mmCIF file of all heavy atoms in Angstrom:
data_model
loop_
_atom_site.group_PDB
_atom_site.id
_atom_site.type_symbol
_atom_site.label_atom_id
_atom_site.label_comp_id
_atom_site.label_asym_id
_atom_site.label_seq_id
_atom_site.Cartn_x
_atom_site.Cartn_y
_atom_site.Cartn_z
ATOM 1 N N LEU A 27 0.220 3.185 7.631
ATOM 2 C CA LEU A 27 -1.078 3.268 8.218
ATOM 3 C C LEU A 27 -1.082 3.261 9.725
ATOM 4 O O LEU A 27 -1.808 4.025 10.278
ATOM 5 C CB LEU A 27 -1.885 2.080 7.617
ATOM 6 C CG LEU A 27 -2.372 2.177 6.242
ATOM 7 C CD1 LEU A 27 -2.975 0.892 5.718
ATOM 8 C CD2 LEU A 27 -3.423 3.263 6.011
ATOM 9 N N ALA A 28 -0.269 2.430 10.266
ATOM 10 C CA ALA A 28 -0.128 2.380 11.792
ATOM 11 C C ALA A 28 0.368 3.780 12.265
ATOM 12 O O ALA A 28 -0.247 4.294 13.242
ATOM 13 C CB ALA A 28 0.695 1.313 12.265
ATOM 14 N N TYR A 29 1.538 4.217 11.669
ATOM 15 C CA TYR A 29 2.068 5.462 12.105
ATOM 16 C C TYR A 29 1.201 6.610 11.967
ATOM 17 O O TYR A 29 0.978 7.518 12.775
ATOM 18 C CB TYR A 29 3.441 5.570 11.325
ATOM 19 C CG TYR A 29 4.209 6.886 11.743
ATOM 20 C CD1 TYR A 29 5.097 6.908 12.897
ATOM 21 C CD2 TYR A 29 4.172 8.069 11.017
ATOM 22 C CE1 TYR A 29 5.707 8.007 13.378
ATOM 23 C CE2 TYR A 29 4.790 9.113 11.353
ATOM 24 C CZ TYR A 29 5.607 9.144 12.551
ATOM 25 O OH TYR A 29 6.307 10.224 12.906
ATOM 26 N N GLY A 30 0.616 6.699 10.683
ATOM 27 C CA GLY A 30 -0.226 7.911 10.371
ATOM 28 C C GLY A 30 -1.546 7.781 11.135
ATOM 29 O O GLY A 30 -1.977 8.779 11.592
ATOM 30 N N GLY A 31 -2.123 6.568 11.415
ATOM 31 C CA GLY A 31 -3.227 6.396 12.292
ATOM 32 C C GLY A 31 -2.990 6.898 13.665
ATOM 33 O O GLY A 31 -3.946 7.464 14.353
ATOM 34 N N TYR A 32 -1.907 6.610 14.136
ATOM 35 C CA TYR A 32 -1.457 7.069 15.555
ATOM 36 C C TYR A 32 -1.339 8.539 15.667
ATOM 37 O O TYR A 32 -1.900 9.123 16.583
ATOM 38 C CB TYR A 32 -0.218 6.431 16.026
ATOM 39 C CG TYR A 32 0.221 6.792 17.324
ATOM 40 C CD1 TYR A 32 -0.210 6.105 18.467
ATOM 41 C CD2 TYR A 32 1.171 7.789 17.568
ATOM 42 C CE1 TYR A 32 0.151 6.447 19.710
ATOM 43 C CE2 TYR A 32 1.501 8.121 18.869
ATOM 44 C CZ TYR A 32 1.100 7.444 19.873
ATOM 45 O OH TYR A 32 1.435 7.895 21.139
ATOM 46 N N HIS A 33 -0.811 9.121 14.676
ATOM 47 C CA HIS A 33 -0.443 10.498 14.712
ATOM 48 C C HIS A 33 -1.669 11.500 14.226
ATOM 49 O O HIS A 33 -1.643 12.849 14.471
ATOM 50 C CB HIS A 33 0.767 10.859 13.907
ATOM 51 C CG HIS A 33 1.996 10.375 14.636
ATOM 52 N ND1 HIS A 33 2.456 10.976 15.711
ATOM 53 C CD2 HIS A 33 2.762 9.456 14.418
ATOM 54 C CE1 HIS A 33 3.584 10.291 16.229
ATOM 55 N NE2 HIS A 33 3.712 9.282 15.376
ATOM 56 N N VAL A 34 -2.633 10.903 13.604
ATOM 57 C CA VAL A 34 -3.725 11.781 13.032
ATOM 58 C C VAL A 34 -4.833 11.990 14.105
ATOM 59 O O VAL A 34 -5.540 12.893 13.958
ATOM 60 C CB VAL A 34 -4.264 11.217 11.735
ATOM 61 C CG1 VAL A 34 -5.170 10.030 11.823
ATOM 62 C CG2 VAL A 34 -4.843 12.291 10.943
ATOM 63 N N VAL A 35 -4.994 11.128 15.072
ATOM 64 C CA VAL A 35 -5.976 11.216 16.051
ATOM 65 C C VAL A 35 -5.410 11.823 17.358
ATOM 66 O O VAL A 35 -4.242 11.649 17.762
ATOM 67 C CB VAL A 35 -6.421 9.789 16.345
ATOM 68 C CG1 VAL A 35 -7.452 9.758 17.505
ATOM 69 C CG2 VAL A 35 -6.920 9.054 15.152
ATOM 70 N N GLU A 36 -6.189 12.718 17.925
ATOM 71 C CA GLU A 36 -5.883 13.466 19.200
ATOM 72 C C GLU A 36 -6.160 12.573 20.456
ATOM 73 O O GLU A 36 -5.237 12.685 21.313
ATOM 74 C CB GLU A 36 -6.670 14.749 19.221
ATOM 75 C CG GLU A 36 -6.379 15.691 18.037
ATOM 76 C CD GLU A 36 -5.023 16.260 18.100
ATOM 77 O OE1 GLU A 36 -4.504 16.492 19.255
ATOM 78 O OE2 GLU A 36 -4.520 16.450 16.909
ATOM 79 N N ASN A 37 -7.192 11.830 20.448
ATOM 80 C CA ASN A 37 -7.494 11.178 21.749
ATOM 81 C C ASN A 37 -6.375 10.100 22.066
ATOM 82 O O ASN A 37 -5.967 9.264 21.150
ATOM 83 C CB ASN A 37 -8.914 10.442 21.582
ATOM 84 C CG ASN A 37 -9.343 9.733 22.831
ATOM 85 O OD1 ASN A 37 -8.578 8.936 23.512
ATOM 86 N ND2 ASN A 37 -10.495 10.070 23.258
ATOM 87 N N VAL A 38 -5.884 10.030 23.243
ATOM 88 C CA VAL A 38 -4.768 9.215 23.607
ATOM 89 C C VAL A 38 -5.119 7.666 23.406
ATOM 90 O O VAL A 38 -4.350 6.919 22.802
ATOM 91 C CB VAL A 38 -4.435 9.478 25.148
ATOM 92 C CG1 VAL A 38 -3.279 8.347 25.479
ATOM 93 C CG2 VAL A 38 -3.932 10.778 25.329
ATOM 94 N N TYR A 39 -6.370 7.316 23.849
ATOM 95 C CA TYR A 39 -6.793 5.879 23.757
ATOM 96 C C TYR A 39 -7.061 5.528 22.316
ATOM 97 O O TYR A 39 -6.813 4.399 21.828
ATOM 98 C CB TYR A 39 -7.967 5.591 24.603
ATOM 99 C CG TYR A 39 -7.531 5.882 26.072
ATOM 100 C CD1 TYR A 39 -8.183 6.944 26.828
ATOM 101 C CD2 TYR A 39 -6.663 5.092 26.817
ATOM 102 C CE1 TYR A 39 -7.819 7.153 28.020
ATOM 103 C CE2 TYR A 39 -6.334 5.368 28.089
ATOM 104 C CZ TYR A 39 -6.903 6.429 28.787
ATOM 105 O OH TYR A 39 -6.599 6.693 30.097
ATOM 106 N N LEU A 40 -7.754 6.440 21.624
ATOM 107 C CA LEU A 40 -8.150 6.263 20.235
ATOM 108 C C LEU A 40 -6.996 6.096 19.325
ATOM 109 O O LEU A 40 -7.076 5.386 18.238
ATOM 110 C CB LEU A 40 -9.054 7.351 19.801
ATOM 111 C CG LEU A 40 -9.909 7.095 18.529
ATOM 112 C CD1 LEU A 40 -10.798 5.799 18.741
ATOM 113 C CD2 LEU A 40 -10.856 8.229 18.343
ATOM 114 N N LYS A 41 -5.779 6.710 19.646
ATOM 115 C CA LYS A 41 -4.548 6.594 18.873
ATOM 116 C C LYS A 41 -4.178 5.204 18.664
ATOM 117 O O LYS A 41 -3.969 4.739 17.596
ATOM 118 C CB LYS A 41 -3.518 7.427 19.481
ATOM 119 C CG LYS A 41 -3.331 8.836 19.493
ATOM 120 C CD LYS A 41 -2.283 9.320 20.240
ATOM 121 C CE LYS A 41 -2.256 10.850 20.080
ATOM 122 N NZ LYS A 41 -1.355 11.318 19.091
ATOM 123 N N TYR A 42 -4.220 4.432 19.718
ATOM 124 C CA TYR A 42 -3.801 3.004 19.687
ATOM 125 C C TYR A 42 -4.784 2.236 18.951
ATOM 126 O O TYR A 42 -4.353 1.325 18.133
ATOM 127 C CB TYR A 42 -3.593 2.431 21.105
ATOM 128 C CG TYR A 42 -2.449 3.115 21.802
ATOM 129 C CD1 TYR A 42 -2.636 4.135 22.682
ATOM 130 C CD2 TYR A 42 -1.059 2.784 21.482
ATOM 131 C CE1 TYR A 42 -1.527 4.726 23.325
ATOM 132 C CE2 TYR A 42 0.016 3.384 22.007
ATOM 133 C CZ TYR A 42 -0.268 4.401 23.052
ATOM 134 O OH TYR A 42 0.780 5.079 23.610
ATOM 135 N N ILE A 43 -5.994 2.397 19.025
ATOM 136 C CA ILE A 43 -7.034 1.611 18.394
ATOM 137 C C ILE A 43 -6.914 1.912 16.919
ATOM 138 O O ILE A 43 -6.934 1.011 16.088
ATOM 139 C CB ILE A 43 -8.402 2.106 18.859
ATOM 140 C CG1 ILE A 43 -8.579 1.590 20.372
ATOM 141 C CG2 ILE A 43 -9.517 1.455 18.069
ATOM 142 C CD1 ILE A 43 -9.863 2.070 21.127
ATOM 143 N N VAL A 44 -6.835 3.095 16.452
ATOM 144 C CA VAL A 44 -6.702 3.520 15.044
ATOM 145 C C VAL A 44 -5.419 3.006 14.440
ATOM 146 O O VAL A 44 -5.327 2.414 13.329
ATOM 147 C CB VAL A 44 -6.816 5.015 14.810
ATOM 148 C CG1 VAL A 44 -6.507 5.300 13.347
ATOM 149 C CG2 VAL A 44 -8.233 5.503 15.134
ATOM 150 N N ALA A 45 -4.357 3.038 15.241
ATOM 151 C CA ALA A 45 -3.016 2.481 14.715
ATOM 152 C C ALA A 45 -3.017 0.884 14.545
ATOM 153 O O ALA A 45 -2.227 0.484 13.768
ATOM 154 C CB ALA A 45 -1.923 2.845 15.783
ATOM 155 N N ILE A 46 -3.911 0.368 15.230
ATOM 156 C CA ILE A 46 -4.030 -1.225 15.090
ATOM 157 C C ILE A 46 -5.080 -1.482 14.007
ATOM 158 O O ILE A 46 -4.903 -2.458 13.151
ATOM 159 C CB ILE A 46 -4.467 -1.826 16.412
ATOM 160 C CG1 ILE A 46 -3.268 -1.619 17.278
ATOM 161 C CG2 ILE A 46 -4.746 -3.322 16.135
ATOM 162 C CD1 ILE A 46 -3.517 -2.113 18.839
ATOM 163 N N ILE A 47 -6.173 -0.806 14.009
ATOM 164 C CA ILE A 47 -7.307 -1.163 13.193
ATOM 165 C C ILE A 47 -7.009 -0.895 11.672
ATOM 166 O O ILE A 47 -7.283 -1.679 10.742
ATOM 167 C CB ILE A 47 -8.676 -0.418 13.555
ATOM 168 C CG1 ILE A 47 -9.115 -0.825 14.888
ATOM 169 C CG2 ILE A 47 -9.753 -0.493 12.499
ATOM 170 C CD1 ILE A 47 -9.528 -2.296 14.972
ATOM 171 N N LEU A 48 -6.377 0.266 11.410
ATOM 172 C CA LEU A 48 -6.167 0.642 9.943
ATOM 173 C C LEU A 48 -5.261 -0.417 9.241
ATOM 174 O O LEU A 48 -5.599 -0.877 8.144
ATOM 175 C CB LEU A 48 -5.461 1.990 9.906
ATOM 176 C CG LEU A 48 -6.437 3.257 9.969
ATOM 177 C CD1 LEU A 48 -5.648 4.495 9.809
ATOM 178 C CD2 LEU A 48 -7.478 3.341 8.889
ATOM 179 N N PRO A 49 -4.171 -0.785 9.809
ATOM 180 C CA PRO A 49 -3.424 -1.764 9.133
ATOM 181 C C PRO A 49 -4.063 -3.144 9.060
ATOM 182 O O PRO A 49 -4.006 -3.875 7.974
ATOM 183 C CB PRO A 49 -2.180 -2.007 10.015
ATOM 184 C CG PRO A 49 -2.031 -0.648 10.844
ATOM 185 C CD PRO A 49 -3.424 -0.251 10.978
ATOM 186 N N VAL A 50 -4.824 -3.586 10.003
ATOM 187 C CA VAL A 50 -5.567 -4.795 9.936
ATOM 188 C C VAL A 50 -6.644 -4.865 8.890
ATOM 189 O O VAL A 50 -6.706 -5.771 8.141
ATOM 190 C CB VAL A 50 -6.244 -5.152 11.353
ATOM 191 C CG1 VAL A 50 -7.188 -6.275 11.139
ATOM 192 C CG2 VAL A 50 -5.229 -5.392 12.476
ATOM 193 N N ILE A 51 -7.343 -3.690 8.752
ATOM 194 C CA ILE A 51 -8.316 -3.589 7.632
ATOM 195 C C ILE A 51 -7.568 -3.662 6.218
ATOM 196 O O ILE A 51 -8.093 -4.292 5.407
ATOM 197 C CB ILE A 51 -9.176 -2.355 7.712
ATOM 198 C CG1 ILE A 51 -10.075 -2.358 8.955
ATOM 199 C CG2 ILE A 51 -9.983 -2.056 6.463
ATOM 200 C CD1 ILE A 51 -10.703 -1.060 9.284
ATOM 201 N N ALA A 52 -6.500 -2.971 6.104
ATOM 202 C CA ALA A 52 -5.715 -2.998 4.859
ATOM 203 C C ALA A 52 -5.282 -4.397 4.550
ATOM 204 O O ALA A 52 -5.328 -4.853 3.400
ATOM 205 C CB ALA A 52 -4.538 -1.968 4.897
ATOM 206 N N ILE A 53 -4.701 -5.057 5.527
ATOM 207 C CA ILE A 53 -4.271 -6.492 5.370
ATOM 208 C C ILE A 53 -5.318 -7.423 4.945
ATOM 209 O O ILE A 53 -5.182 -8.249 3.996
ATOM 210 C CB ILE A 53 -3.450 -7.060 6.598
ATOM 211 C CG1 ILE A 53 -2.245 -6.236 6.774
ATOM 212 C CG2 ILE A 53 -3.338 -8.480 6.550
ATOM 213 C CD1 ILE A 53 -1.560 -6.448 8.164
#
Side-chain angles (χ1 to χ4, degrees):
L27 284 171
Y29 182 81
Y32 179 84
H33 289 288
V34 80
V35 177
E36 297 293 327
N37 185 309
V38 176
Y39 301 110
L40 198 55
K41 284 179 177 260
Y42 294 102
I43 293 171
V44 172
I46 294 169
I47 294 295
L48 282 180
V50 168
I51 291 170
I53 290 169

